[in-house]
Amino acid sequence: MKLEFTNVAKELLQKQYEQGDNLYLFYDTEGVCGVNGVPTVRWVTSLPDNAEAIDTNTFPTYVNREQKVFFYNELKLDVRGSLFRLYSNEGILNPSITINKNE
């Protein structure tokens, strides 16, 4: 898997970054069936055992190994307005992401 950050996304994320932070791609299924979720991104300070590193052009980024099937092989993270957008050539995965820190 590969995630490319646009320059605008890198600049905004740099403002949030703290030493030891990692970005984590996560398929959020809270409150719904396990296959009906929303791809999202969050800052984490500790990674679960099933986290797998992905190739990026900036921040250390990981994905849940079991949830990789919900993401495209090549992704981009961009900014539209004040929200992040996760997409690929195949389509938009999530047009409105607020990236928060998950302790």
Side-chain angles (χ1 to χ4, degrees), residues 2 8 14 17 20 25 34-36 39 41 44-46 54 67 70 72 77 80 82 90-91 98-99 103:
K2 183 177 181 174
V8 176
Q14 188 63 46
Y17 178 77
L25 297 183
V35 295
N36 294 324
V41 183
V44 296
T45 54
S46 62
I54 63 174
Q67 294 180 341
F70 299 112
Y72 293 114
L77 189 67
R80 294 285 188 250
S82 62
E90 289 86 1
T98 302
I99 301 179
E103 299 299 330

Side-chain angles (χ1 to χ4, degrees), residues 11-73:
E11 288 174 21
L12 286 177
L13 288 169
Q14 188 63 46
K15 293 177 184 176
Q16 297 177 352
Y17 178 77
E18 294 179 15
Q19 187 67 30
D21 285 349
N22 296 291
L23 283 173
Y24 188 60
L25 297 183
F26 185 75
Y27 192 71
D28 190 357
T29 58
E30 187 173 321
V32 296
C33 166
V35 295
N36 294 324
V38 177
T40 190
V41 183
R42 61 178 69 148
W43 287 110
V44 296
T45 54
S46 62
L47 293 163
D49 292 337
N50 61 358
E52 182 177 300
I54 63 174
D55 292 329
T56 72
N57 61 339
T58 189
F59 300 99
T61 306
Y62 297 82
V63 65
N64 179 311
R65 190 173 299 117
E66 287 82 31
Q67 294 180 341
K68 274 177 43 173
V69 298
F70 299 112
F71 296 92
Y72 293 114
N73 218 13

